[in-house]
């Protein structure tokens, strides 16, 4: 790569030095570093079991709580709240993505979404007693805010990285995120395990861990907000009404109809990523409620996932350089299917076996997500990054409501988390088949982008 590369903004083109591009890339990595602590400490480890315990303490003799008069089994509340957050994100993401592309100003919108989510997460400190409804509301706000912010964050990728370097840049972003997740989780483990020595109750320790994730998220978001820069657009649209976002989404989907291979990739990604997101959000509930594992075991297991996910994201990025991103993702989906099958038969109260399973998840988690993001970035037409990534984010988080809903319904109907976890196999199997049928090189060419040597 030359010392200077050309950056396309709208229809204008101007040179950008390698040093400026790398500085912006390093700033971009730090949003993963900021928000991944929420995904790890809050969504994956603490909030599921804690909110479930609050709901169970408030439940009637039949095990049901009644938010807004609706009977909900206490053990399903967390899964349903995750689904509700995704539905809210579906409403918001097209509006935000279209507004970012019309005005060319992603940073103010990124800041608004990030700090709304960080504030909601910090507010989880006040979850005590029977406040399960407050917990569900804060979860919905925080999760939806994260999804909206990721639309804007991901839309920077094709602007800050050339075609040949996107797998590497995307994988490094995920590695930064897993590094921060692991580091904060170590601190959480120290506080939670030694809460008596710190003079706090177990419940207070959990609430401190939840709130600290929001503070971390807000503090480190300052780095990308300083380093990333907005690009001018060729002809900003004047329509700023709320409905314009949905009209823009409809226009984007119509535009994608002219690129059916991009749509085919999104369909495959929607399905297999639904499985990934559900495993991430429900693993701690499965471990605590079905396998009878204590909170310390769950924290160590997730910490193991975080550590191995750093190496996994970087390692799969290297594999993609040799075998191509598509083949590497397909290999990871096969591993995910085996993981769920093993998890179904995992005996209760065997933490060592649970750690082995967590290690397997770590090796494929970061890489499958990072390579999916970079692969899609090649299929995005220039100048339409935010609106296309709003559609992508709806697949990544915004339409990932079906997995948690299926998981929650399976438990509500059967009372078994094993039945709930094995139901997710279909997402990985179907996603594998659909992705295998997508000719990705043709999809990149159809988007008007240069085709990398390996993809």
């Amino acid at each position: 790569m030359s010392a200077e590369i050309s950056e396309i903004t709208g229809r204008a083109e101007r040179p950008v030095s390698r040093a400026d591009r790398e500085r912006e890339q390093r700033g971009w990595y730090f949003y993963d570093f900021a928000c991944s602590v929420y995904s790890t400490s809050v969504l994956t480890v603490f909030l599921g079991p804690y909110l479930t315990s609050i709901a169970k303490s408030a439940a009637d003799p039949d095990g049901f709580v009644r938010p807004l008069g609706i009977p909900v089994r206490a053990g399903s509340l967390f899964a349903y709240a995750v689904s509700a957050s995704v539905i809210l994100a579906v409403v918001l993401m097209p509006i935000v993505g279209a507004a970012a592309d019309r005005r060319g100003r992603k940073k103010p919108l990124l800041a608004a979404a990030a700090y709304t989510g960080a504030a909601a997460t910090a507010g989880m400190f006040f979850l005590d007693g029977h406040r399960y409804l407050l917990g569900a509301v804060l979860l919905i706000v925080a999760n939806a805010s994260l999804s909206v912010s990721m639309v804007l964050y991901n839309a920077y990728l094709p602007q800050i990285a050339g075609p040949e370097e996107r797998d590497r840049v995307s994988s490094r972003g995920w590695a930064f995120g897993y590094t921060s997740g692991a580091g904060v989780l170590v601190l959480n483990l120290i506080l939670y395990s030694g809460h008596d020595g710190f003079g706090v109750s177990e419940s207070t320790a959990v609430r401190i861990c939840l709130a600290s994730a929001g503070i971390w998220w807000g503090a480190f978001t300052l780095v990308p907000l300083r380093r990333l820069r907005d690009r001018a657009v060729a002809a900003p649209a004047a329509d700023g009404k709320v409905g314009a976002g949905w009209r823009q989404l409809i226009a984007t989907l119509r535009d994608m109809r002219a690129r059916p291979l991009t749509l085919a990739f999104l369909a495959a990604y929607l399905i297999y990523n639904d499985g990934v997101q559900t495993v991430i959000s429900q693993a701690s509930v499965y471990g605590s409620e079905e396998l009878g594992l204590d909170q310390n075991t769950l924290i160590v297991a997730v910490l193991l996932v975080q550590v191995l996910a750093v190496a996994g994201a970087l390692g799969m990025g290297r594999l993609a350089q040799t075998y191509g991103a598509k083949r590497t993702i397909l290999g990871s989906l096969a591993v995910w299917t085996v993981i769920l099958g093993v998890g179904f038969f995992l005996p209760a109260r065997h933490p060592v076996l649970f750690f082995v399973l967590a290690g397997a998840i770590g090796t494929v988690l970061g890489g499958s997500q990072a390579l999916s993001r970079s692969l899609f970035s090649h299929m995005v037409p220039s100048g339409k990054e935010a609106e296309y990534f709003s559609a992508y984010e709806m697949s990544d988080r915004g339409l990932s409501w079906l997995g948690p809903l299926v998981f929650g319904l399976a438990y509500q109907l059967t009372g078994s988390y094993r039945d709930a976890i094995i139901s997710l196999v279909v997402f990985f199997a179907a996603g594998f088949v659909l992705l295998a049928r997508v000719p990705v090189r043709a999809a990149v060419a159809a988007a008007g982008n240069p085709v990398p040597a390996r993809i």
Side-chain angles (χ1 to χ4, degrees):
M1 189 181 293
S2 61
E4 292 190 346
I5 53 181
S6 294
E7 177 183 275
I8 299 175
T9 17
R11 298 184 180 278
E13 187 175 309
R14 67 181 185 81
V16 176
S17 71
R18 178 193 291 264
D20 287 344
R21 180 63 64 93
E22 290 179 349
R23 182 179 185 275
E24 194 170 13
Q25 288 172 357
R26 288 192 294 271
W28 185 80
Y29 299 150
F30 265 92
Y31 190 67
D32 254 324
F33 190 85
C35 69
S36 290
V37 172
Y38 166 82
S39 299
T40 303
S41 293
V42 177
L43 197 61
T44 305
V45 177
F46 286 107
L47 188 57
Y50 185 66
L51 184 58
T52 300
S53 68
I54 292 176
K56 285 185 174 181
S57 70
D60 62 22
D62 295 324
F64 285 83
V65 291
R66 287 175 167 75
L68 305 178
I70 302 171
V72 173
R73 189 182 290 271
S76 297
L77 177 70
F78 177 69
Y80 290 157
V82 172
S83 289
S85 73
V86 169
I87 294 171
L88 176 60
V90 168
V91 175
L92 296 177
M93 286 190 295
I95 300 171
V96 174
D101 280 335
R102 285 197 308 272
R103 300 184 179 93
R105 290 177 56 80
K106 299 182 186 70
K107 277 208 300 186
L109 296 171
L110 176 61
Y115 284 109
T116 299
T121 306
M124 292 177 185
F125 178 79
F126 300 102
L127 298 183
D128 57 3
H130 292 173
R131 295 178 178 174
Y132 71 89
L133 187 56
L134 174 63
V137 170
L138 291 176
L139 168 60
I140 290 169
V141 172
N143 228 33
S145 297
L146 179 65
S147 296
V148 170
S149 71
M150 292 301 291
V151 169
L152 304 159
Y153 169 69
N154 287 335
Y156 276 104
L157 179 59
Q159 295 179 332
I160 65 173
E164 299 293 344
E165 60 180 344
R166 283 182 203 161
D167 288 345
R168 174 182 59 82
V169 171
S170 183
S171 295
R172 284 186 178 180
W174 281 105
F176 263 61
Y178 286 118
T179 299
S180 72
V184 173
L185 204 53
V186 169
L187 300 177
N188 290 337
L189 178 60
I190 293 172
L191 174 61
Y192 181 81
S193 300
H195 59 82
D196 287 335
F198 289 102
V200 298
S201 67
E202 180 179 341
S203 172
T204 301
V206 171
R207 292 188 290 117
I208 291 173
C209 292
L210 294 172
S212 65
I215 295 171
W216 181 283
W217 184 359
F220 283 98
T221 294
L222 292 172
V223 179
L225 292 180
R226 287 178 61 86
R227 294 267 181 111
L228 293 173
R229 54 192 182 78
D230 288 325
R231 274 76 173 167
V233 295
D239 189 353
K241 297 179 181 179
V242 170
W246 277 98
R247 289 194 293 273
Q248 182 63 63
L249 176 63
I250 294 171
T252 300
L253 294 176
R254 287 175 178 168
D255 187 64
M256 284 186 179
R257 290 176 62 186
R259 299 175 178 84
L261 299 181
T262 300
L263 272 178
F265 172 81
L266 272 180
Y269 180 69
L270 182 154
I271 292 172
Y272 72 73
N273 185 67
D274 205 346
V276 172
Q277 296 298 327
T278 307
V279 172
I280 292 171
S281 66
Q282 305 302 321
S284 60
V285 175
Y286 183 72
S288 63
E289 298 295 323
E290 185 67 37
L291 301 182
L293 302 175
D294 60 34
Q295 191 72 61
N296 285 337
T297 299
L298 296 176
I299 294 173
V300 172
V302 174
L303 180 60
L304 180 62
V305 170
Q306 299 301 299
V307 172
L308 291 179
V310 175
L314 297 175
M316 287 181 65
R318 290 179 178 269
L319 287 175
Q321 293 177 358
T322 302
Y323 300 104
K326 177 183 173 181
R327 289 182 179 179
T328 307
I329 295 169
L330 288 172
S332 75
L333 297 182
V335 175
W336 274 110
T337 303
V338 173
I339 286 171
L340 288 180
V342 173
F344 176 79
F345 293 104
L346 203 65
R349 297 176 179 83
H350 280 70
V352 174
L353 296 179
F354 191 71
F355 291 153
V356 172
L357 198 65
I361 291 175
T363 59
V364 293
L365 175 60
S368 58
Q369 293 177 316
L371 293 178
S372 296
R373 176 171 64 186
S374 63
L375 183 57
F376 179 73
S377 74
H378 292 286
M379 305 177 190
V380 177
S382 177
K384 297 185 177 182
E385 292 85 4
E387 63 180 84
Y388 266 63
F389 266 106
S390 71
Y392 173 86
E393 192 66 19
M394 288 177 72
S395 298
D396 187 1
R397 300 175 193 270
L399 290 183
S400 294
W401 54 270
L402 184 59
L405 181 61
V406 168
F407 189 95
L409 286 173
Y411 177 75
Q412 178 140 344
L413 294 174
T414 68
S416 169
Y417 283 108
R418 292 186 186 274
D419 292 337
I421 202 72
I422 199 62
S423 68
L424 303 179
V425 168
V426 68
F427 293 98
F428 294 103
F432 181 100
V433 172
L434 291 176
L435 178 60
R437 295 170 59 87
V438 179
V440 293
R441 299 182 69 86
V444 175
N449 295 323
V451 181
R454 290 283 185 184
I455 192 169

PDB file of all heavy atoms in Angstrom, residues 41-54:
ATOM      1  N   SER A  41     -19.918  -8.285  30.638  1.00  0.00           N
ATOM      2  CA  SER A  41     -20.253  -8.280  32.061  1.00  0.00           C
ATOM      3  C   SER A  41     -21.753  -8.224  32.317  1.00  0.00           C
ATOM      4  O   SER A  41     -22.271  -8.872  33.225  1.00  0.00           O
ATOM      5  CB  SER A  41     -19.569  -7.090  32.764  1.00  0.00           C
ATOM      6  OG  SER A  41     -18.175  -7.255  32.784  1.00  0.00           O
ATOM      7  N   VAL A  42     -22.465  -7.431  31.506  1.00  0.00           N
ATOM      8  CA  VAL A  42     -23.893  -7.237  31.755  1.00  0.00           C
ATOM      9  C   VAL A  42     -24.718  -8.323  31.084  1.00  0.00           C
ATOM     10  O   VAL A  42     -25.403  -9.117  31.748  1.00  0.00           O
ATOM     11  CB  VAL A  42     -24.345  -5.840  31.271  1.00  0.00           C
ATOM     12  CG1 VAL A  42     -25.850  -5.669  31.458  1.00  0.00           C
ATOM     13  CG2 VAL A  42     -23.588  -4.757  32.034  1.00  0.00           C
ATOM     14  N   LEU A  43     -24.649  -8.375  29.757  1.00  0.00           N
ATOM     15  CA  LEU A  43     -25.565  -9.249  29.016  1.00  0.00           C
ATOM     16  C   LEU A  43     -25.211 -10.719  29.176  1.00  0.00           C
ATOM     17  O   LEU A  43     -26.098 -11.567  29.284  1.00  0.00           O
ATOM     18  CB  LEU A  43     -25.556  -8.854  27.537  1.00  0.00           C
ATOM     19  CG  LEU A  43     -26.718  -9.371  26.688  1.00  0.00           C
ATOM     20  CD1 LEU A  43     -28.038  -8.834  27.212  1.00  0.00           C
ATOM     21  CD2 LEU A  43     -26.534  -8.982  25.232  1.00  0.00           C
ATOM     22  N   THR A  44     -23.929 -11.043  29.192  1.00  0.00           N
ATOM     23  CA  THR A  44     -23.523 -12.445  29.203  1.00  0.00           C
ATOM     24  C   THR A  44     -23.409 -13.026  30.596  1.00  0.00           C
ATOM     25  O   THR A  44     -23.760 -14.182  30.811  1.00  0.00           O
ATOM     26  CB  THR A  44     -22.187 -12.611  28.450  1.00  0.00           C
ATOM     27  OG1 THR A  44     -22.315 -12.081  27.136  1.00  0.00           O
ATOM     28  CG2 THR A  44     -21.786 -14.071  28.365  1.00  0.00           C
ATOM     29  N   VAL A  45     -22.917 -12.241  31.571  1.00  0.00           N
ATOM     30  CA  VAL A  45     -22.605 -12.816  32.882  1.00  0.00           C
ATOM     31  C   VAL A  45     -23.639 -12.479  33.952  1.00  0.00           C
ATOM     32  O   VAL A  45     -24.301 -13.360  34.494  1.00  0.00           O
ATOM     33  CB  VAL A  45     -21.203 -12.376  33.355  1.00  0.00           C
ATOM     34  CG1 VAL A  45     -20.919 -12.907  34.749  1.00  0.00           C
ATOM     35  CG2 VAL A  45     -20.148 -12.870  32.384  1.00  0.00           C
ATOM     36  N   PHE A  46     -23.801 -11.209  34.268  1.00  0.00           N
ATOM     37  CA  PHE A  46     -24.488 -10.846  35.513  1.00  0.00           C
ATOM     38  C   PHE A  46     -25.988 -10.630  35.381  1.00  0.00           C
ATOM     39  O   PHE A  46     -26.761 -11.056  36.239  1.00  0.00           O
ATOM     40  CB  PHE A  46     -23.855  -9.586  36.113  1.00  0.00           C
ATOM     41  CG  PHE A  46     -22.515  -9.829  36.737  1.00  0.00           C
ATOM     42  CD1 PHE A  46     -21.369  -9.385  36.118  1.00  0.00           C
ATOM     43  CD2 PHE A  46     -22.400 -10.526  37.933  1.00  0.00           C
ATOM     44  CE1 PHE A  46     -20.128  -9.615  36.687  1.00  0.00           C
ATOM     45  CE2 PHE A  46     -21.160 -10.768  38.515  1.00  0.00           C
ATOM     46  CZ  PHE A  46     -20.018 -10.315  37.884  1.00  0.00           C
ATOM     47  N   LEU A  47     -26.424  -9.937  34.329  1.00  0.00           N
ATOM     48  CA  LEU A  47     -27.805  -9.488  34.335  1.00  0.00           C
ATOM     49  C   LEU A  47     -28.799 -10.627  34.188  1.00  0.00           C
ATOM     50  O   LEU A  47     -29.858 -10.606  34.834  1.00  0.00           O
ATOM     51  CB  LEU A  47     -28.030  -8.447  33.228  1.00  0.00           C
ATOM     52  CG  LEU A  47     -29.399  -7.765  33.263  1.00  0.00           C
ATOM     53  CD1 LEU A  47     -29.641  -7.079  34.605  1.00  0.00           C
ATOM     54  CD2 LEU A  47     -29.535  -6.755  32.124  1.00  0.00           C
ATOM     55  N   GLY A  48     -28.504 -11.621  33.343  1.00  0.00           N
ATOM     56  CA  GLY A  48     -29.451 -12.723  33.157  1.00  0.00           C
ATOM     57  C   GLY A  48     -29.798 -13.431  34.456  1.00  0.00           C
ATOM     58  O   GLY A  48     -30.967 -13.470  34.866  1.00  0.00           O
ATOM     59  N   PRO A  49     -28.799 -13.997  35.158  1.00  0.00           N
ATOM     60  CA  PRO A  49     -29.124 -14.666  36.429  1.00  0.00           C
ATOM     61  C   PRO A  49     -29.682 -13.713  37.483  1.00  0.00           C
ATOM     62  O   PRO A  49     -30.587 -14.086  38.242  1.00  0.00           O
ATOM     63  CB  PRO A  49     -27.765 -15.243  36.861  1.00  0.00           C
ATOM     64  CG  PRO A  49     -26.977 -15.370  35.601  1.00  0.00           C
ATOM     65  CD  PRO A  49     -27.407 -14.213  34.740  1.00  0.00           C
ATOM     66  N   TYR A  50     -29.153 -12.479  37.535  1.00  0.00           N
ATOM     67  CA  TYR A  50     -29.599 -11.549  38.581  1.00  0.00           C
ATOM     68  C   TYR A  50     -31.041 -11.109  38.347  1.00  0.00           C
ATOM     69  O   TYR A  50     -31.870 -11.119  39.272  1.00  0.00           O
ATOM     70  CB  TYR A  50     -28.667 -10.342  38.629  1.00  0.00           C
ATOM     71  CG  TYR A  50     -28.976  -9.382  39.760  1.00  0.00           C
ATOM     72  CD1 TYR A  50     -28.819  -9.769  41.080  1.00  0.00           C
ATOM     73  CD2 TYR A  50     -29.421  -8.087  39.498  1.00  0.00           C
ATOM     74  CE1 TYR A  50     -29.097  -8.898  42.132  1.00  0.00           C
ATOM     75  CE2 TYR A  50     -29.704  -7.210  40.541  1.00  0.00           C
ATOM     76  CZ  TYR A  50     -29.540  -7.623  41.856  1.00  0.00           C
ATOM     77  OH  TYR A  50     -29.821  -6.757  42.879  1.00  0.00           O
ATOM     78  N   LEU A  51     -31.366 -10.737  37.104  1.00  0.00           N
ATOM     79  CA  LEU A  51     -32.736 -10.326  36.802  1.00  0.00           C
ATOM     80  C   LEU A  51     -33.697 -11.496  36.978  1.00  0.00           C
ATOM     81  O   LEU A  51     -34.830 -11.318  37.447  1.00  0.00           O
ATOM     82  CB  LEU A  51     -32.812  -9.769  35.377  1.00  0.00           C
ATOM     83  CG  LEU A  51     -34.162  -9.197  34.939  1.00  0.00           C
ATOM     84  CD1 LEU A  51     -34.610  -8.074  35.864  1.00  0.00           C
ATOM     85  CD2 LEU A  51     -34.085  -8.689  33.490  1.00  0.00           C
ATOM     86  N   THR A  52     -33.256 -12.691  36.628  1.00  0.00           N
ATOM     87  CA  THR A  52     -34.099 -13.869  36.821  1.00  0.00           C
ATOM     88  C   THR A  52     -34.365 -14.104  38.299  1.00  0.00           C
ATOM     89  O   THR A  52     -35.498 -14.423  38.701  1.00  0.00           O
ATOM     90  CB  THR A  52     -33.418 -15.112  36.199  1.00  0.00           C
ATOM     91  OG1 THR A  52     -33.231 -14.900  34.799  1.00  0.00           O
ATOM     92  CG2 THR A  52     -34.278 -16.355  36.404  1.00  0.00           C
ATOM     93  N   SER A  53     -33.349 -13.909  39.147  1.00  0.00           N
ATOM     94  CA  SER A  53     -33.542 -14.105  40.588  1.00  0.00           C
ATOM     95  C   SER A  53     -34.495 -13.058  41.161  1.00  0.00           C
ATOM     96  O   SER A  53     -35.328 -13.376  42.030  1.00  0.00           O
ATOM     97  CB  SER A  53     -32.199 -14.049  41.316  1.00  0.00           C
ATOM     98  OG  SER A  53     -31.642 -12.748  41.282  1.00  0.00           O
ATOM     99  N   ILE A  54     -34.394 -11.810  40.683  1.00  0.00           N
ATOM    100  CA  ILE A  54     -35.317 -10.768  41.141  1.00  0.00           C
ATOM    101  C   ILE A  54     -36.749 -11.104  40.728  1.00  0.00           C
ATOM    102  O   ILE A  54     -37.692 -10.965  41.513  1.00  0.00           O
ATOM    103  CB  ILE A  54     -34.896  -9.400  40.581  1.00  0.00           C
ATOM    104  CG1 ILE A  54     -33.571  -8.947  41.196  1.00  0.00           C
ATOM    105  CG2 ILE A  54     -35.971  -8.346  40.857  1.00  0.00           C
ATOM    106  CD1 ILE A  54     -33.034  -7.654  40.617  1.00  0.00           C
TER     107      ILE A  54
END
